[in-house]
Amino acid sequence: MDGLVFMTAAAHLVYTPFTKVEESFNLQAMHDILYLRNNFSQYDHHEYPGVVPRTFVGPLIVSMFSAPFVVLFEMLSINKFWAQYVVRLVLAGAITVAWNNLRKAVTNIYGIEVRLWFTAITITQFHYIFYMTRPLPNIFALPFVLYAITYWMRGQTKPFIICSGIAIIVFRSELALFLGLLLAQDLLRQKLSIDGLLKIALPAGVCILAATVLVDSFFWRRLLWPEGEVLWYNTILNKSSNWGTSPFLWYFYSALPRAMGASLFFVPIGIYFERRLRPLALSALGFVLLYSILPHKELRFIIYVFPVLNIAAACGCHRLWMNSAKSAWHSFLALIAASHLLVNVLITIFLLVVSGTNYPGGAALSRLHRLEGANSNVTVHIANLAAQSGVSRFMEINSNWTYSKDESMNYSQAEIAIYSHLLVEAKNKHNTELWATLQENFEILEFIDCFNSIGIQYNSILPVRIKTKPCIGILKKRVSAETVLQPEEKPPNEKNPKEITKNKRKKEKIEADKVDETSNLPLDVIKEETELDNKAPEPMDKSEQLVIDHLAVQVDDDDGIVATVEEVSLELNDGPEAAKEINFQELRNLALKQTPQKSRAATKLKIRKIIEQHFRAKGRHIENDSAEIQKPPGIPRSGLRQSVKSIIKQEKIKEMIEQIATMDLTRICDLEKTSTKECLKQVIDKMDEESINQK
């Protein structure tokens, strides 16, 4: 049972391995201590100091316990992202030890049954377990707070004061409210005198303050008490409200219900029946009430009271369970007490799944490592959203790559020219011009989705659905004609004979492939394509010719529509244009006629494929006219590969493509809520309905 809380926290960590911007300082500090070591000038906080300085004491302690694992990883050539798991598990381990110490005190005071309820309630809740592995200042303070509460419950004044001093002076000054209320009770009950308090608090406080000033002044290169500056900034100047404000009672009607889950209903029952718990529980609630005065509120700011309220809930559940044999009503209440743990589990699973969608930056960089793992020449720019939603120095696992988080990036041509890849915020109504500029030089590899909203669904077993939206775009610099050619390659008239022979054979093979494909087409299609082949080709620049030769795709020069979707798509699937999902920017460029011939052809091919797939998905049969390919005897019609030229009425499809190519989709669909592909399907349905009505 002692390791159950730790194992649950580890499971949460494995499911959500990335971190947010609030955790950035402590995580980067642990990375720098473990990997940069005495190269202090390269530490991350010199380049990104944050709004207020934070202490290095917590990261230094965790790094000391993590160092043996890091040395082992280096010996075994294990990439340093695994070290991120280590430092966070060490932090969770420290909290687990402190929590187990509190659990022993609960056992001694309230009994074994309350201890079991306390354990069950804790591991079935989400936020406390989830935050155990989060390198936040509040979480570094949490072990000292748990020890302070334990010592207070046992009546051990001196260690209570020392642990309280460490938590307040080094990590979180607002804890003076919570722990001060407990201290005030001891003074009022005369368990501690003022003289006795000063004899312990003054020397302990001076030593603790000197330690943090000494350590942090060294790392920050100036005389500094970090938590003092934080106290001044957040409380005296009240500048924390720049990051948002919440109503006065927000902690009570939002934070506590989410954090406690169904266990919250049993807290007042426990406080009512267990009189010994009232001073501790009421002090915790008093702290939340006093801290509500500060306008900027976050759930993690009151995480210290969750174990205390869980003790109260455990006492309440134990009382109901103990009285279950008295009557049917008491049995029903006992059943509710046991069943609420299942409700907690369901809430936890749901919130964990939601949390897994909140780190698109980390997911994007991880995906880029998989996509370009074999490429050693990568210079990637990590935009603000990506840097704030999962990216850390622990993820810089490729020593040959260059990772940049330049916050002053304006995305000018000169600035983006030095990068081979970009991790930037996905397209939205605020950055359409930026994306138009970027897509001139970069192609989209993938979009990484993140949490958008929660929807209700009535036609599924699960009543709710987590909706996501594209958040981070992974972009790669386009390959120009000069890049396609080898650096040593000479102009065509200076190529050596072996190269000429090789290229000649390649072209002959392409022509032979065309003949083989044409032999399977109907006569009128062959005739039409032969006429197109006999036309004098329009002049192409070198880049277009290279791409066309590479893809070996036959294109109509007048509209860029590929002859057959099913045949050519087999070749295009590996190409740089057609391999990507159709997007709004492509259609916008097509409508404004700002695309080169090869991109126009690829975009119209995508439109044609969507039309074909949409009609088939609706159960619309493919109409075969006189050009229908005759199937051999014994072969079912569905098994025959058909040309797009025979789909429904080809003139109608071509008209659809031409109309779509001139449309402004923003006037038809809300592209913030609807994908480009779904919008196109709506347009296709509308055009089809209009054509039917005209008939």
Side-chain angles (χ1 to χ4, degrees):
M1 292 291 288
D2 290 348
L4 198 55
V5 169
F6 178 78
M7 296 291 289
T8 309
H12 282 60
L13 170 59
V14 171
Y15 188 80
T16 55
F18 306 115
T19 56
K20 279 286 188 71
V21 62
E22 297 88 353
E23 306 160 61
S24 176
F25 170 78
N26 287 311
L27 191 68
Q28 310 289 36
M30 290 186 287
H31 168 276
D32 295 343
I33 292 169
L34 289 169
Y35 285 96
L36 298 181
R37 295 163 191 171
N38 59 353
N39 189 8
F40 301 113
S41 62
Q42 297 301 313
Y43 276 33
D44 184 81
H45 70 285
H46 295 310
E47 189 174 0
Y48 305 101
V51 179
V52 289
R54 290 293 183 183
T55 180
F56 269 84
V57 173
L60 191 60
I61 295 172
V62 172
S63 298
M64 290 171 59
F65 288 97
S66 305
F69 297 97
V70 172
V71 172
L72 179 63
F73 289 171
E74 289 179 335
M75 292 174 58
L76 299 176
S77 299
I78 298 174
N79 76 64
K80 60 184 179 181
F81 184 68
W82 292 100
Q84 179 171 310
Y85 284 98
V86 170
V87 296
R88 293 174 63 184
L89 286 174
V90 168
L91 178 59
I95 296 170
T96 302
V97 171
W99 182 86
N100 280 330
N101 196 43
L102 174 63
R103 193 170 68 113
K104 291 177 181 177
V106 169
T107 306
N108 294 334
I109 298 171
Y110 305 108
I112 296 176
E113 293 80 4
V114 173
R115 180 191 71 183
L116 293 175
W117 281 104
F118 177 55
T119 303
I121 289 171
T122 301
I123 63 175
T124 57
Q125 291 172 341
F126 172 72
H127 285 91
Y128 181 79
I129 298 294
F130 180 79
Y131 275 111
M132 282 177 64
T133 61
R134 301 279 149 187
L136 294 158
N138 314 80
I139 307 306
F140 279 99
L142 186 56
F144 297 99
V145 176
L146 293 176
Y147 270 109
I149 293 171
T150 303
Y151 289 131
W152 184 85
M153 291 171 66
R154 291 172 175 168
Q156 296 175 279
T157 304
K158 184 175 181 179
F160 162 71
I161 293 173
I162 293 174
C163 287
S164 299
I166 295 173
I168 295 167
I169 296 172
V170 179
F171 296 106
R172 297 298 299 189
S173 56
E174 73 270 10
L175 282 166
L177 296 174
F178 181 25
L179 300 174
L181 288 173
L182 297 179
L183 181 62
Q185 292 185 54
D186 283 351
L187 292 173
L188 290 174
R189 294 176 181 177
Q190 296 184 348
K191 292 183 177 180
L192 178 68
S193 64
I194 299 293
D195 291 341
L197 171 63
L198 294 177
K199 287 180 181 179
I200 301 172
L202 284 179
V206 170
C207 292
I208 294 167
L209 180 61
T212 182
V213 170
L214 183 65
V215 170
D216 292 308
S217 298
F218 172 80
F219 282 103
W220 285 96
R221 297 179 174 178
R222 64 184 176 93
L223 188 62
L224 176 68
W225 174 31
E227 195 53 32
E229 290 198 13
V230 173
L231 175 65
W232 178 264
Y233 183 89
N234 287 339
T235 306
I236 308 301
L237 300 180
N238 193 27
K239 287 192 175 182
S240 62
S241 58
N242 295 340
W243 278 261
T245 60
S246 300
F248 181 80
L249 295 176
W250 182 84
Y251 284 128
F252 291 95
Y253 70 75
S254 179
L256 285 175
R258 284 185 289 125
M260 296 293 295
S263 303
L264 184 64
F265 295 103
F266 300 94
V267 172
I269 298 174
I271 295 175
Y272 177 78
F273 283 109
E274 186 54 76
R275 298 182 63 181
R276 293 173 295 176
L277 182 64
R278 291 176 189 175
L280 179 59
L282 293 178
S283 296
L285 294 174
F287 162 69
V288 176
L289 184 65
L290 290 173
Y291 202 52
S292 296
I293 297 172
L294 203 64
H296 179 62
K297 298 176 176 65
E298 293 185 37
L299 184 146
R300 61 188 174 95
F301 293 166
I302 60 168
I303 194 171
Y304 328 103
V305 307
F306 299 163
V308 174
L309 298 181
N310 282 344
I311 296 173
C315 290
C317 290
H318 170 60
R319 184 76 177 208
L320 295 177
W321 189 262
M322 187 175 59
N323 295 332
S324 61
K326 290 185 177 181
S327 67
W329 170 247
H330 286 87
S331 298
F332 176 70
L333 292 177
L335 180 62
I336 291 177
S339 300
H340 100 274
L341 297 176
L342 178 59
V343 176
N344 281 354
V345 170
L346 295 176
I347 294 172
T348 295
I349 292 173
F350 174 73
L351 293 176
L352 187 60
V353 173
V354 171
S355 297
T357 64
N358 280 333
Y359 304 90
L365 186 54
S366 180
R367 180 61 179 156
L368 181 62
H369 281 133
R370 291 194 294 272
L371 291 173
E372 300 290 341
N375 186 357
S376 60
N377 187 24
V378 171
T379 302
V380 56
H381 170 68
I382 301 165
N384 286 340
L385 180 59
Q388 294 174 6
S389 59
V391 174
S392 72
R393 284 193 168 189
F394 280 105
M395 295 194 69
E396 298 176 2
I397 60 176
N398 196 320
S399 58
N400 296 320
W401 289 19
T402 301
Y403 302 85
S404 171
K405 295 187 294 182
D406 184 5
E407 294 179 338
S408 61
M409 180 85 155
N410 292 318
Y411 298 95
S412 64
Q413 291 291 340
E415 287 177 316
I416 64 177
I418 63 174
Y419 296 106
S420 63
H421 294 76
L422 304 175
L423 301 183
V424 295
E425 185 174 357
K427 288 177 288 187
N428 55 57
K429 61 183 179 182
H430 303 295
N431 63 5
T432 52
E433 292 184 6
L434 170 63
W435 268 86
T437 302
L438 293 179
Q439 287 192 287
E440 292 177 1
N441 302 283
F442 291 82
E443 62 176 325
I444 302 170
L445 293 182
E446 277 188 23
F447 281 110
I448 301 299
D449 288 355
C450 68
F451 177 79
N452 183 29
S453 63
I454 298 171
I456 305 297
Q457 53 187 11
Y458 303 99
N459 57 350
S460 175
I461 298 176
L462 298 176
V464 295
R465 180 169 65 92
I466 299 169
K467 298 181 180 179
T468 60
K469 64 179 180 180
C471 276
I472 304 290
I474 305 176
L475 277 61
K476 180 180 181 180
K477 183 172 287 185
R478 294 185 185 277
V479 180
S480 62
E482 289 77 11
T483 309
V484 173
L485 294 171
Q486 295 297 328
E488 301 81 11
E489 192 170 13
K490 299 178 182 179
N493 59 341
E494 297 182 16
K495 287 184 180 178
N496 60 60
K498 289 184 178 179
E499 267 189 9
I500 295 174
T501 304
K502 182 178 179 181
N503 290 338
K504 184 177 179 181
R505 289 176 179 173
K506 181 179 178 182
K507 289 182 179 180
E508 289 174 353
K509 184 180 185 301
I510 292 172
E511 294 299 326
D513 290 341
K514 287 183 181 179
V515 172
D516 289 342
E517 290 182 358
T518 306
S519 63
N520 291 324
L521 295 176
L523 293 176
D524 63 336
V525 177
I526 296 173
K527 181 179 179 181
E528 181 180 348
E529 295 184 350
T530 304
E531 290 174 357
L532 291 173
D533 288 339
N534 292 333
K535 286 184 181 179
E538 293 182 1
M540 292 185 185
D541 59 31
K542 186 184 295 182
S543 174
E544 291 172 343
Q545 185 61 55
L546 282 166
V547 174
I548 296 299
D549 286 348
H550 176 68
L551 297 177
V553 177
Q554 184 177 345
V555 179
D556 288 351
D557 289 337
D558 61 333
D559 61 7
I561 300 176
V562 180
T564 62
V565 169
E566 291 184 334
E567 293 172 4
V568 178
S569 63
L570 296 175
E571 299 176 33
L572 276 176
N573 279 341
D574 295 327
E577 297 290 342
K580 315 300 180 302
E581 192 83 6
I582 196 165
N583 57 71
F584 165 71
Q585 194 61 43
E586 282 185 84
L587 294 172
R588 181 175 181 272
N589 292 339
L590 185 65
L592 297 176
K593 297 183 179 179
Q594 295 178 349
T595 56
Q597 182 178 356
K598 59 185 179 68
S599 297
R600 187 170 70 250
T603 303
K604 289 190 175 183
L605 171 62
K606 293 178 183 179
I607 297 172
R608 180 179 278 278
K609 291 175 73 173
I610 290 173
I611 293 172
E612 175 188 359
Q613 292 168 359
H614 184 55
F615 278 130
R616 287 181 173 175
K618 291 179 66 177
R620 299 283 295 276
H621 295 289
I622 299 175
E623 297 181 7
N624 294 319
D625 53 22
S626 59
E628 179 183 1
I629 302 174
Q630 299 299 321
K631 61 178 182 176
I635 298 179
R637 186 178 299 273
S638 60
L640 183 64
R641 187 165 64 112
Q642 299 179 357
S643 168
V644 176
K645 295 292 184 181
S646 65
I647 296 178
I648 308 179
K649 292 182 179 179
Q650 292 307 311
E651 287 302 319
K652 174 182 172 181
I653 291 180
K654 188 171 181 178
E655 288 175 7
M656 283 185 172
I657 295 172
E658 290 304 324
Q659 290 181 44
I660 291 172
T662 59
M663 286 182 177
D664 181 3
L665 295 185
T666 58
R667 297 187 178 184
I668 302 172
C669 307
D670 184 357
L671 295 177
E672 288 290 321
K673 300 179 179 178
T674 307
S675 68
T676 304
K677 189 172 181 179
E678 291 301 319
C679 181
L680 280 177
K681 291 179 180 179
Q682 295 176 23
V683 172
I684 294 166
D685 285 337
K686 186 175 180 181
M687 293 168 65
D688 184 43
E689 184 180 350
E690 289 176 355
S691 66
I692 292 173
N693 292 336
Q694 289 175 1
K695 293 179 181 179

